[in-house]
Amino acid sequence: MSEIDITLTLNGEEVRARAEPRMLASDFLRDRLRCTGTHVGCEHGVCGACTIRLDGVTARACLLFAAQLDGARVDTVEGLGTVRNLHPIQEAFRRHHALQCGFCTPGFLMTVAEILETHPLRTDEEIRDALSGNLCRCTGYEHIVRAVRDLVDARDGVTA
Amino acid sequence: MTDALALAPVETVRPKYIGKPVQRLEDPRLLAGAGRYTADIQLDRMLHLAFVRADQAHAEIRAIDTNAAAAMPGVVAVLTAADFADVADLVATSRMQTYNATHCPLLARDRVRYVGEAVAIVVAADRYRAEDAAAAIAVDYAPLAAAIDPAAALAPGAPQLHPEVPGNLVLEREFRTGDAAAAIAEAAHVVEGTFRLARKSPLAIETRAYVADYDRGRDAITLFSSTQIPGVVRDALASLLHLPGNRLRVVAPDVGGGFGGKGSLYVEEVIVAALARRLERPVKYVGDRLEDLTSTSQGFDEVVEARLGLDAEGRFVALEAEVIGDIGAYSIYPWTAALEPVQVVSFLPGPYRIAAYRGRVRAATTPKPPTGPYRGVGRPMAVFALERLVDMAAVRLGLPPDEIRRRNLVRPEDFPFRIGSGIRWDRSGFLECLDAASVAADLTEFRRRQAEARAAGRWLGIGFASYAELTGIGSRIAVAPGMPINTGSETATIRIDATGAVTATFAMASHGQSLETTLAQIVAEELGVRPQDVAVVQGDTDAAAHGTGTYASRSAVIGGGAAIRATRTLLGKVKAAAALLFDVDPAEVETGDGVIFVPGTNHRIDFADLARAVYSDMAALPHDARATLEAQESFDPRLGTTTSATHLAEVEIDAETLAIRLTRFFVAEDCGRMINPLVVDGQVHGGVVQGIGVALLEELQFDETGQILSASLADYLIPTAAEVPSLGVAHLETELPANPGGFRGMGEGGTIGAPAAIANAVSDAVAHLGVGVATLPITPSKLARLLADNEKE
């Protein structure tokens, strides 16, 4: 199968690579662009581990073709913070022990980045609903909810 | 932000890190997307595998046509069973009498025995091409008769799955203390039931993945594996591939959850390693979710028929059980199929005083994926069956659920206590946990709320589950009876290098348990450095002579014990060298937060200074005092340590839709001394939520031909944040166990207690309708059927 050129803005940087039109965006990000922070857990859009932001909106990279990234602005976990300078969302996850094996975590971080911008998240129930598209098998979600609650309080200027 | 990490140095009392909520050292890389999971590994000239898997449960392979596939672009090789004639079958042996091992070939030979069994392989330049070619392979099957149901498989005349397993009976075992049948015949009250936990998937979010690299110069293989047991895999590969361990390295890099599903040897990892050497190129295989749901070891699947006899005051007098376990198509390596079903009868008497016990288990092989270890092993089923009987007895005698447990739990003065199956409980907070749950439950107030809600068409229910488990099991008790590997010891090697940096090496393999942090806390506290100064090396067979891995709630107890011993030995060397430098007695030297000092003096150096003096500065110390700053010690607890808990669940059922909502969950547990309370909470939460899945959602369903019906995450449901209530946890610390750290294992307990507590809560909610839960998961449709069947009667 012939390959096509794909140009996108990945975490603020313009990148270009070639891929077969049928290649999944998740494989393209991981194997071609070597950004392996986006994980693949089911390849049928349920688990949310591959959640990225496509032009600012969360999307499942496993349900997109690489070709659909052409010309788009794509944000992945690598764009949040670095090991030596974590993003506040990452800091909150660490503070609350909101990750164990860490495999689902990049997807959660991308979802949380979006819902903090778009959702009021007034109650823990609203937080749980907003997170329900991402599966975690280690934490039981309790600490993730607490981390998000902290972030919402910081966003809203509430002192706990 | 780094509250616990930034404790101020204290001169006279060494800072304590054990017991502190130290932030995890593995987190920054995992949060930044800089972890390295097996699927992330890319090597030059790497080839990719795709498997053709059986789409029939039991069939003869008449022919496999690989010609079209072999001719497709990018295909390097197509292989079937004949291509692996030089590799032995996987055979899990056991010293257990009445056990018949199965022979599991790398690729199905002549016959397939479950949907999902590997039949053929395509090796290609990329995964897309490998899958294209795999789809072009035609396998001609002739269906064979099959007994899908385990009881049918054990019936006389049932179709045979393995020639070496007569009657499909893989094992049979009985435990007996006293005359249970006679005691039950004379008991004032008898409650009985037939209980079943559906087959389930461990379902780690990371699917199984393997990458093998081949070093042509050394004829050596490095296998990167998403495994919990790199040591077991290395040892097995050495014998299967006829390579010494020094040319065979198994690395478990970051591993995305296991829960038992990555705790056995898989044919795929043998194949990947063998092919890398055969093709002299790196080989990669990453399972997809369908493969995970059909070929990763599955959990549970037992039917327990049990009777509990009580005296007039509600004291348990005898317990009898007949258990049939459906172990699937093969007895899993290395644990054997005995692991799960035998532990059901081992643990069935639970944390109670029951004078007479008889428990018999028979395990049947059926054409379904093999079962294997799953979080809790045997105990979720045992606790579900017994705790249902306990609640049924409470209803029969008109006793509150906490009171009947209080009358029967092993009391503090009874320890050590041997239950009818021979397991010995040490002092643990059996009653203390029940009391804490009882206070939290506030039954009087709950019954008021329950009556009020019932009048308004909402059914509330409350459920308790008390249990005990053996954790950190030493070498005198095999994790599975009669298996040929030693899981009872761990070795720690702690080293201070020439720069003064500390590295602690273990043979364990964290896959989410936070070992890089908790073990660093232990070493830091014992040595007198900060946790972030300790690099923990684990999950790499080249780093340790022997070791099995991380499973069975063993790492904190056994690995932590080895860490304490090794660090103490090393501290002796540190003090001896520093004493020479300071010209004082070693007993006067203290350490803390990276400083070595003599209190009340100006003798004060750091670990880099000491390392320089020992390794590099030829003048500071006499020659014979320049001993390497390294220590290695092992720990084997011999027996196990007892962890106990009581779980409490509240549910609300919509009388119209029968939707079951878990509204509250509370755990009171005694895991001894906590190394890191954040980590302990996380383990409890995660375990409980898997138990919620067991109780309300998760079920691998098979039709009458053995086809799996729940092979995607749209059909196999696990809890999301929305189905889970906020979880409350109370940690009780009674008497500490007699091991170096006072630790008890606690990685599995959540999953052990939660299913039973929820089943009891649902049963309590519908008690007024005359039904109770005997099968999990309980779903609205199953509850509707229960109520309809009951009405018919």
Side-chain angles (χ1 to χ4, degrees), chain A residues 39-42 47-49 101 103-105 108 134-138 141, chain B residues 202-208 256-259 262 289 292 713 718:
Chain A
H39 296 154
V40 174
C42 70
C47 80
C101 81
F103 194 83
C104 71
T105 307
F108 269 94
N134 289 73
L135 297 179
C136 170
R137 196 62 159 163
C138 293
Y141 306 106
Chain B
L203 209 99
I205 304 297
E206 179 203 33
T207 53
R208 290 189 293 114
F259 319 114
K262 293 168 182 167
R289 186 53 68 185
D292 182 61
L713 293 186
I718 68 168

PDB file of all heavy atoms in Angstrom, chain A residues 39-42 47-49 101 103-105 108 134-138 141, chain B residues 202-208 256-259 262 289 292 713 718:
ATOM      1  N   HIS A  39      -1.054   5.496  24.985  1.00  0.00           N
ATOM      2  CA  HIS A  39      -1.075   4.036  25.071  1.00  0.00           C
ATOM      3  C   HIS A  39      -2.300   3.452  24.368  1.00  0.00           C
ATOM      4  O   HIS A  39      -3.301   4.135  24.181  1.00  0.00           O
ATOM      5  CB  HIS A  39      -1.051   3.605  26.537  1.00  0.00           C
ATOM      6  CG  HIS A  39       0.216   4.006  27.238  1.00  0.00           C
ATOM      7  ND1 HIS A  39       0.287   4.206  28.595  1.00  0.00           N
ATOM      8  CD2 HIS A  39       1.460   4.258  26.759  1.00  0.00           C
ATOM      9  CE1 HIS A  39       1.529   4.557  28.922  1.00  0.00           C
ATOM     10  NE2 HIS A  39       2.257   4.603  27.816  1.00  0.00           N
ATOM     11  N   VAL A  40      -2.182   2.191  24.029  1.00  0.00           N
ATOM     12  CA  VAL A  40      -3.270   1.503  23.343  1.00  0.00           C
ATOM     13  C   VAL A  40      -3.756   0.370  24.235  1.00  0.00           C
ATOM     14  O   VAL A  40      -2.989  -0.522  24.578  1.00  0.00           O
ATOM     15  CB  VAL A  40      -2.776   0.946  21.988  1.00  0.00           C
ATOM     16  CG1 VAL A  40      -3.868   0.111  21.331  1.00  0.00           C
ATOM     17  CG2 VAL A  40      -2.354   2.092  21.075  1.00  0.00           C
ATOM     18  N   GLY A  41      -5.037   0.421  24.616  1.00  0.00           N
ATOM     19  CA  GLY A  41      -5.536  -0.590  25.540  1.00  0.00           C
ATOM     20  C   GLY A  41      -6.599  -1.503  24.964  1.00  0.00           C
ATOM     21  O   GLY A  41      -6.819  -2.591  25.490  1.00  0.00           O
ATOM     22  N   CYS A  42      -7.305  -1.065  23.928  1.00  0.00           N
ATOM     23  CA  CYS A  42      -8.372  -1.951  23.426  1.00  0.00           C
ATOM     24  C   CYS A  42      -8.545  -1.863  21.918  1.00  0.00           C
ATOM     25  O   CYS A  42      -9.086  -2.780  21.314  1.00  0.00           O
ATOM     26  CB  CYS A  42      -9.696  -1.657  24.129  1.00  0.00           C
ATOM     27  SG  CYS A  42     -10.455  -0.084  23.704  1.00  0.00           S
ATOM     28  N   CYS A  47     -11.580   1.882  26.220  1.00  0.00           N
ATOM     29  CA  CYS A  47     -10.798   2.032  27.458  1.00  0.00           C
ATOM     30  C   CYS A  47     -10.266   3.444  27.678  1.00  0.00           C
ATOM     31  O   CYS A  47     -10.025   3.837  28.811  1.00  0.00           O
ATOM     32  CB  CYS A  47      -9.662   1.011  27.504  1.00  0.00           C
ATOM     33  SG  CYS A  47      -8.204   1.453  26.540  1.00  0.00           S
ATOM     34  N   GLY A  48     -10.065   4.201  26.605  1.00  0.00           N
ATOM     35  CA  GLY A  48      -9.636   5.591  26.769  1.00  0.00           C
ATOM     36  C   GLY A  48      -8.152   5.801  27.002  1.00  0.00           C
ATOM     37  O   GLY A  48      -7.699   6.933  27.166  1.00  0.00           O
ATOM     38  N   ALA A  49      -7.363   4.727  27.013  1.00  0.00           N
ATOM     39  CA  ALA A  49      -5.920   4.892  27.257  1.00  0.00           C
ATOM     40  C   ALA A  49      -5.261   5.723  26.164  1.00  0.00           C
ATOM     41  O   ALA A  49      -4.255   6.384  26.401  1.00  0.00           O
ATOM     42  CB  ALA A  49      -5.244   3.524  27.352  1.00  0.00           C
ATOM     43  N   CYS A 101      -0.091   1.459  37.993  1.00  0.00           N
ATOM     44  CA  CYS A 101       0.776   0.957  36.905  1.00  0.00           C
ATOM     45  C   CYS A 101       1.063   2.045  35.890  1.00  0.00           C
ATOM     46  O   CYS A 101       2.030   1.974  35.151  1.00  0.00           O
ATOM     47  CB  CYS A 101       0.159  -0.270  36.236  1.00  0.00           C
ATOM     48  SG  CYS A 101      -1.115   0.088  35.007  1.00  0.00           S
ATOM     49  N   PHE A 103      -0.481   2.872  33.151  1.00  0.00           N
ATOM     50  CA  PHE A 103      -0.756   2.636  31.727  1.00  0.00           C
ATOM     51  C   PHE A 103      -1.943   3.461  31.232  1.00  0.00           C
ATOM     52  O   PHE A 103      -1.909   4.015  30.145  1.00  0.00           O
ATOM     53  CB  PHE A 103      -0.999   1.140  31.488  1.00  0.00           C
ATOM     54  CG  PHE A 103      -0.960   0.761  30.038  1.00  0.00           C
ATOM     55  CD1 PHE A 103       0.252   0.529  29.405  1.00  0.00           C
ATOM     56  CD2 PHE A 103      -2.127   0.656  29.295  1.00  0.00           C
ATOM     57  CE1 PHE A 103       0.299   0.199  28.053  1.00  0.00           C
ATOM     58  CE2 PHE A 103      -2.080   0.321  27.946  1.00  0.00           C
ATOM     59  CZ  PHE A 103      -0.875   0.086  27.327  1.00  0.00           C
ATOM     60  N   CYS A 104      -3.000   3.558  32.042  1.00  0.00           N
ATOM     61  CA  CYS A 104      -4.177   4.329  31.625  1.00  0.00           C
ATOM     62  C   CYS A 104      -3.978   5.820  31.838  1.00  0.00           C
ATOM     63  O   CYS A 104      -4.763   6.638  31.362  1.00  0.00           O
ATOM     64  CB  CYS A 104      -5.407   3.867  32.405  1.00  0.00           C
ATOM     65  SG  CYS A 104      -5.371   4.354  34.155  1.00  0.00           S
ATOM     66  N   THR A 105      -2.945   6.178  32.605  1.00  0.00           N
ATOM     67  CA  THR A 105      -2.780   7.544  33.110  1.00  0.00           C
ATOM     68  C   THR A 105      -2.720   8.620  32.015  1.00  0.00           C
ATOM     69  O   THR A 105      -3.389   9.651  32.133  1.00  0.00           O
ATOM     70  CB  THR A 105      -1.529   7.606  34.015  1.00  0.00           C
ATOM     71  OG1 THR A 105      -1.635   6.580  35.005  1.00  0.00           O
ATOM     72  CG2 THR A 105      -1.400   8.951  34.682  1.00  0.00           C
ATOM     73  N   PHE A 108      -6.166   9.484  31.015  1.00  0.00           N
ATOM     74  CA  PHE A 108      -6.860  10.247  32.060  1.00  0.00           C
ATOM     75  C   PHE A 108      -6.396  11.695  32.077  1.00  0.00           C
ATOM     76  O   PHE A 108      -7.195  12.620  32.213  1.00  0.00           O
ATOM     77  CB  PHE A 108      -6.614   9.605  33.436  1.00  0.00           C
ATOM     78  CG  PHE A 108      -7.652   8.588  33.816  1.00  0.00           C
ATOM     79  CD1 PHE A 108      -7.446   7.246  33.553  1.00  0.00           C
ATOM     80  CD2 PHE A 108      -8.843   8.977  34.423  1.00  0.00           C
ATOM     81  CE1 PHE A 108      -8.402   6.297  33.903  1.00  0.00           C
ATOM     82  CE2 PHE A 108      -9.801   8.034  34.777  1.00  0.00           C
ATOM     83  CZ  PHE A 108      -9.581   6.686  34.516  1.00  0.00           C
ATOM     84  N   ASN A 134     -12.944   6.700  30.692  1.00  0.00           N
ATOM     85  CA  ASN A 134     -11.578   6.177  30.824  1.00  0.00           C
ATOM     86  C   ASN A 134     -11.572   5.056  31.853  1.00  0.00           C
ATOM     87  O   ASN A 134     -12.057   5.239  32.968  1.00  0.00           O
ATOM     88  CB  ASN A 134     -10.625   7.288  31.286  1.00  0.00           C
ATOM     89  CG  ASN A 134     -10.365   8.318  30.199  1.00  0.00           C
ATOM     90  OD1 ASN A 134     -11.234   9.136  29.890  1.00  0.00           O
ATOM     91  ND2 ASN A 134      -9.186   8.271  29.611  1.00  0.00           N
ATOM     92  N   LEU A 135     -11.012   3.930  31.464  1.00  0.00           N
ATOM     93  CA  LEU A 135     -10.960   2.796  32.379  1.00  0.00           C
ATOM     94  C   LEU A 135      -9.619   2.749  33.099  1.00  0.00           C
ATOM     95  O   LEU A 135      -8.566   2.923  32.483  1.00  0.00           O
ATOM     96  CB  LEU A 135     -11.152   1.479  31.622  1.00  0.00           C
ATOM     97  CG  LEU A 135     -12.494   1.296  30.909  1.00  0.00           C
ATOM     98  CD1 LEU A 135     -12.514  -0.048  30.176  1.00  0.00           C
ATOM     99  CD2 LEU A 135     -13.650   1.385  31.897  1.00  0.00           C
ATOM    100  N   CYS A 136      -9.685   2.536  34.405  1.00  0.00           N
ATOM    101  CA  CYS A 136      -8.485   2.284  35.203  1.00  0.00           C
ATOM    102  C   CYS A 136      -8.753   1.008  35.969  1.00  0.00           C
ATOM    103  O   CYS A 136      -9.839   0.828  36.513  1.00  0.00           O
ATOM    104  CB  CYS A 136      -8.230   3.436  36.176  1.00  0.00           C
ATOM    105  SG  CYS A 136      -6.932   3.050  37.379  1.00  0.00           S
ATOM    106  N   ARG A 137      -7.789   0.127  35.995  1.00  0.00           N
ATOM    107  CA  ARG A 137      -7.991  -1.148  36.660  1.00  0.00           C
ATOM    108  C   ARG A 137      -7.250  -1.225  37.991  1.00  0.00           C
ATOM    109  O   ARG A 137      -7.430  -2.149  38.753  1.00  0.00           O
ATOM    110  CB  ARG A 137      -7.492  -2.246  35.714  1.00  0.00           C
ATOM    111  CG  ARG A 137      -7.940  -3.642  36.049  1.00  0.00           C
ATOM    112  CD  ARG A 137      -9.419  -3.831  35.990  1.00  0.00           C
ATOM    113  NE  ARG A 137      -9.766  -5.233  35.829  1.00  0.00           N
ATOM    114  CZ  ARG A 137     -10.957  -5.750  36.064  1.00  0.00           C
ATOM    115  NH1 ARG A 137     -11.931  -4.957  36.471  1.00  0.00           N
ATOM    116  NH2 ARG A 137     -11.196  -7.018  35.885  1.00  0.00           N
ATOM    117  N   CYS A 138      -6.389  -0.237  38.255  1.00  0.00           N
ATOM    118  CA  CYS A 138      -5.562  -0.303  39.472  1.00  0.00           C
ATOM    119  C   CYS A 138      -6.125   0.490  40.641  1.00  0.00           C
ATOM    120  O   CYS A 138      -6.103   0.029  41.770  1.00  0.00           O
ATOM    121  CB  CYS A 138      -4.163   0.237  39.199  1.00  0.00           C
ATOM    122  SG  CYS A 138      -3.156  -0.737  38.075  1.00  0.00           S
ATOM    123  N   TYR A 141     -10.345   4.384  41.184  1.00  0.00           N
ATOM    124  CA  TYR A 141     -10.767   5.756  40.854  1.00  0.00           C
ATOM    125  C   TYR A 141     -10.778   6.732  42.032  1.00  0.00           C
ATOM    126  O   TYR A 141     -10.799   7.943  41.825  1.00  0.00           O
ATOM    127  CB  TYR A 141     -12.169   5.760  40.189  1.00  0.00           C
ATOM    128  CG  TYR A 141     -12.266   4.866  38.985  1.00  0.00           C
ATOM    129  CD1 TYR A 141     -12.940   3.653  39.037  1.00  0.00           C
ATOM    130  CD2 TYR A 141     -11.660   5.211  37.772  1.00  0.00           C
ATOM    131  CE1 TYR A 141     -13.027   2.816  37.936  1.00  0.00           C
ATOM    132  CE2 TYR A 141     -11.738   4.382  36.659  1.00  0.00           C
ATOM    133  CZ  TYR A 141     -12.428   3.189  36.747  1.00  0.00           C
ATOM    134  OH  TYR A 141     -12.511   2.361  35.655  1.00  0.00           O
TER     135      TYR A 141
ATOM    136  N   PRO B 202      -8.735 -11.128  34.251  1.00  0.00           N
ATOM    137  CA  PRO B 202      -7.970 -10.172  35.073  1.00  0.00           C
ATOM    138  C   PRO B 202      -8.038  -8.765  34.460  1.00  0.00           C
ATOM    139  O   PRO B 202      -8.129  -7.777  35.167  1.00  0.00           O
ATOM    140  CB  PRO B 202      -6.547 -10.725  35.032  1.00  0.00           C
ATOM    141  CG  PRO B 202      -6.705 -12.187  34.707  1.00  0.00           C
ATOM    142  CD  PRO B 202      -7.907 -12.267  33.803  1.00  0.00           C
ATOM    143  N   LEU B 203      -7.962  -8.713  33.132  1.00  0.00           N
ATOM    144  CA  LEU B 203      -8.137  -7.481  32.368  1.00  0.00           C
ATOM    145  C   LEU B 203      -7.277  -6.305  32.809  1.00  0.00           C
ATOM    146  O   LEU B 203      -7.773  -5.250  33.204  1.00  0.00           O
ATOM    147  CB  LEU B 203      -9.609  -7.048  32.329  1.00  0.00           C
ATOM    148  CG  LEU B 203      -9.878  -6.272  31.050  1.00  0.00           C
ATOM    149  CD1 LEU B 203     -10.516  -7.182  30.011  1.00  0.00           C
ATOM    150  CD2 LEU B 203     -10.763  -5.078  31.303  1.00  0.00           C
ATOM    151  N   ALA B 204      -5.980  -6.498  32.747  1.00  0.00           N
ATOM    152  CA  ALA B 204      -5.083  -5.343  32.873  1.00  0.00           C
ATOM    153  C   ALA B 204      -5.319  -4.442  31.667  1.00  0.00           C
ATOM    154  O   ALA B 204      -5.657  -4.920  30.576  1.00  0.00           O
ATOM    155  CB  ALA B 204      -3.638  -5.813  32.902  1.00  0.00           C
ATOM    156  N   ILE B 205      -5.152  -3.132  31.855  1.00  0.00           N
ATOM    157  CA  ILE B 205      -5.392  -2.226  30.719  1.00  0.00           C
ATOM    158  C   ILE B 205      -4.286  -2.391  29.667  1.00  0.00           C
ATOM    159  O   ILE B 205      -4.522  -2.253  28.475  1.00  0.00           O
ATOM    160  CB  ILE B 205      -5.517  -0.760  31.188  1.00  0.00           C
ATOM    161  CG1 ILE B 205      -6.620  -0.627  32.257  1.00  0.00           C
ATOM    162  CG2 ILE B 205      -5.840   0.163  30.016  1.00  0.00           C
ATOM    163  CD1 ILE B 205      -8.019  -0.977  31.799  1.00  0.00           C
ATOM    164  N   GLU B 206      -3.081  -2.710  30.105  1.00  0.00           N
ATOM    165  CA  GLU B 206      -2.045  -3.076  29.131  1.00  0.00           C
ATOM    166  C   GLU B 206      -2.233  -4.547  28.758  1.00  0.00           C
ATOM    167  O   GLU B 206      -2.215  -5.414  29.641  1.00  0.00           O
ATOM    168  CB  GLU B 206      -0.639  -2.909  29.730  1.00  0.00           C
ATOM    169  CG  GLU B 206       0.471  -3.295  28.752  1.00  0.00           C
ATOM    170  CD  GLU B 206       1.799  -3.672  29.427  1.00  0.00           C
ATOM    171  OE1 GLU B 206       1.772  -4.234  30.531  1.00  0.00           O
ATOM    172  OE2 GLU B 206       2.853  -3.424  28.830  1.00  0.00           O
ATOM    173  N   THR B 207      -2.397  -4.835  27.498  1.00  0.00           N
ATOM    174  CA  THR B 207      -2.489  -6.229  27.065  1.00  0.00           C
ATOM    175  C   THR B 207      -1.099  -6.850  27.138  1.00  0.00           C
ATOM    176  O   THR B 207      -0.092  -6.151  27.278  1.00  0.00           O
ATOM    177  CB  THR B 207      -3.014  -6.309  25.633  1.00  0.00           C
ATOM    178  OG1 THR B 207      -2.198  -5.471  24.810  1.00  0.00           O
ATOM    179  CG2 THR B 207      -4.459  -5.856  25.544  1.00  0.00           C
ATOM    180  N   ARG B 208      -1.035  -8.176  27.026  1.00  0.00           N
ATOM    181  CA  ARG B 208       0.266  -8.845  27.100  1.00  0.00           C
ATOM    182  C   ARG B 208       1.123  -8.479  25.886  1.00  0.00           C
ATOM    183  O   ARG B 208       0.616  -8.388  24.769  1.00  0.00           O
ATOM    184  CB  ARG B 208       0.076 -10.363  27.165  1.00  0.00           C
ATOM    185  CG  ARG B 208      -0.520 -10.816  28.488  1.00  0.00           C
ATOM    186  CD  ARG B 208      -0.510 -12.330  28.623  1.00  0.00           C
ATOM    187  NE  ARG B 208      -1.389 -12.978  27.688  1.00  0.00           N
ATOM    188  CZ  ARG B 208      -0.986 -13.773  26.698  1.00  0.00           C
ATOM    189  NH1 ARG B 208       0.295 -14.024  26.505  1.00  0.00           N
ATOM    190  NH2 ARG B 208      -1.857 -14.327  25.893  1.00  0.00           N
ATOM    191  N   GLY B 256       1.925  -2.685  32.717  1.00  0.00           N
ATOM    192  CA  GLY B 256       0.651  -1.992  32.917  1.00  0.00           C
ATOM    193  C   GLY B 256      -0.420  -2.828  33.575  1.00  0.00           C
ATOM    194  O   GLY B 256      -1.462  -3.108  33.001  1.00  0.00           O
ATOM    195  N   GLY B 257      -0.152  -3.244  34.823  1.00  0.00           N
ATOM    196  CA  GLY B 257      -1.121  -4.026  35.585  1.00  0.00           C
ATOM    197  C   GLY B 257      -0.999  -5.500  35.269  1.00  0.00           C
ATOM    198  O   GLY B 257      -0.542  -5.889  34.191  1.00  0.00           O
ATOM    199  N   GLY B 258      -1.361  -6.318  36.237  1.00  0.00           N
ATOM    200  CA  GLY B 258      -1.261  -7.766  36.029  1.00  0.00           C
ATOM    201  C   GLY B 258      -2.457  -8.482  36.618  1.00  0.00           C
ATOM    202  O   GLY B 258      -3.207  -9.123  35.904  1.00  0.00           O
ATOM    203  N   PHE B 259      -2.613  -8.379  37.949  1.00  0.00           N
ATOM    204  CA  PHE B 259      -3.744  -8.975  38.669  1.00  0.00           C
ATOM    205  C   PHE B 259      -3.768 -10.485  38.541  1.00  0.00           C
ATOM    206  O   PHE B 259      -4.803 -11.110  38.688  1.00  0.00           O
ATOM    207  CB  PHE B 259      -5.066  -8.345  38.207  1.00  0.00           C
ATOM    208  CG  PHE B 259      -4.971  -6.856  38.001  1.00  0.00           C
ATOM    209  CD1 PHE B 259      -5.113  -6.273  36.748  1.00  0.00           C
ATOM    210  CD2 PHE B 259      -4.658  -6.041  39.073  1.00  0.00           C
ATOM    211  CE1 PHE B 259      -4.974  -4.908  36.570  1.00  0.00           C
ATOM    212  CE2 PHE B 259      -4.521  -4.670  38.911  1.00  0.00           C
ATOM    213  CZ  PHE B 259      -4.674  -4.103  37.649  1.00  0.00           C
ATOM    214  N   LYS B 262      -0.741 -11.772  34.244  1.00  0.00           N
ATOM    215  CA  LYS B 262       0.616 -11.785  33.704  1.00  0.00           C
ATOM    216  C   LYS B 262       1.531 -12.578  34.635  1.00  0.00           C
ATOM    217  O   LYS B 262       2.740 -12.377  34.643  1.00  0.00           O
ATOM    218  CB  LYS B 262       1.127 -10.352  33.516  1.00  0.00           C
ATOM    219  CG  LYS B 262       0.351  -9.605  32.426  1.00  0.00           C
ATOM    220  CD  LYS B 262       0.648  -8.111  32.426  1.00  0.00           C
ATOM    221  CE  LYS B 262      -0.193  -7.402  31.358  1.00  0.00           C
ATOM    222  NZ  LYS B 262      -0.155  -5.941  31.530  1.00  0.00           N
ATOM    223  N   ARG B 289      -6.968  -6.684  22.328  1.00  0.00           N
ATOM    224  CA  ARG B 289      -7.910  -6.938  23.427  1.00  0.00           C
ATOM    225  C   ARG B 289      -8.675  -8.248  23.226  1.00  0.00           C
ATOM    226  O   ARG B 289      -8.968  -8.953  24.190  1.00  0.00           O
ATOM    227  CB  ARG B 289      -8.869  -5.744  23.573  1.00  0.00           C
ATOM    228  CG  ARG B 289      -9.789  -5.829  24.766  1.00  0.00           C
ATOM    229  CD  ARG B 289      -9.072  -6.058  26.092  1.00  0.00           C
ATOM    230  NE  ARG B 289      -8.261  -4.944  26.531  1.00  0.00           N
ATOM    231  CZ  ARG B 289      -7.476  -4.975  27.604  1.00  0.00           C
ATOM    232  NH1 ARG B 289      -7.389  -6.073  28.359  1.00  0.00           N
ATOM    233  NH2 ARG B 289      -6.742  -3.931  27.920  1.00  0.00           N
ATOM    234  N   ASP B 292      -6.468 -10.826  24.365  1.00  0.00           N
ATOM    235  CA  ASP B 292      -6.374 -10.778  25.823  1.00  0.00           C
ATOM    236  C   ASP B 292      -7.559 -11.496  26.464  1.00  0.00           C
ATOM    237  O   ASP B 292      -7.406 -12.260  27.409  1.00  0.00           O
ATOM    238  CB  ASP B 292      -6.320  -9.321  26.293  1.00  0.00           C
ATOM    239  CG  ASP B 292      -6.162  -9.220  27.808  1.00  0.00           C
ATOM    240  OD1 ASP B 292      -5.144  -9.722  28.317  1.00  0.00           O
ATOM    241  OD2 ASP B 292      -7.057  -8.676  28.465  1.00  0.00           O
ATOM    242  N   LEU B 713     -14.567  -5.064  25.062  1.00  0.00           N
ATOM    243  CA  LEU B 713     -14.881  -4.276  26.255  1.00  0.00           C
ATOM    244  C   LEU B 713     -16.282  -3.673  26.182  1.00  0.00           C
ATOM    245  O   LEU B 713     -16.737  -3.035  27.135  1.00  0.00           O
ATOM    246  CB  LEU B 713     -13.831  -3.185  26.473  1.00  0.00           C
ATOM    247  CG  LEU B 713     -12.434  -3.687  26.841  1.00  0.00           C
ATOM    248  CD1 LEU B 713     -11.511  -2.525  27.173  1.00  0.00           C
ATOM    249  CD2 LEU B 713     -12.493  -4.655  28.009  1.00  0.00           C
ATOM    250  N   ILE B 718     -16.254  -3.649  32.873  1.00  0.00           N
ATOM    251  CA  ILE B 718     -15.579  -3.470  34.153  1.00  0.00           C
ATOM    252  C   ILE B 718     -16.043  -2.138  34.744  1.00  0.00           C
ATOM    253  O   ILE B 718     -16.562  -1.288  34.018  1.00  0.00           O
ATOM    254  CB  ILE B 718     -14.036  -3.516  34.017  1.00  0.00           C
ATOM    255  CG1 ILE B 718     -13.507  -2.303  33.244  1.00  0.00           C
ATOM    256  CG2 ILE B 718     -13.594  -4.819  33.352  1.00  0.00           C
ATOM    257  CD1 ILE B 718     -11.981  -2.156  33.341  1.00  0.00           C
TER     258      ILE B 718
END
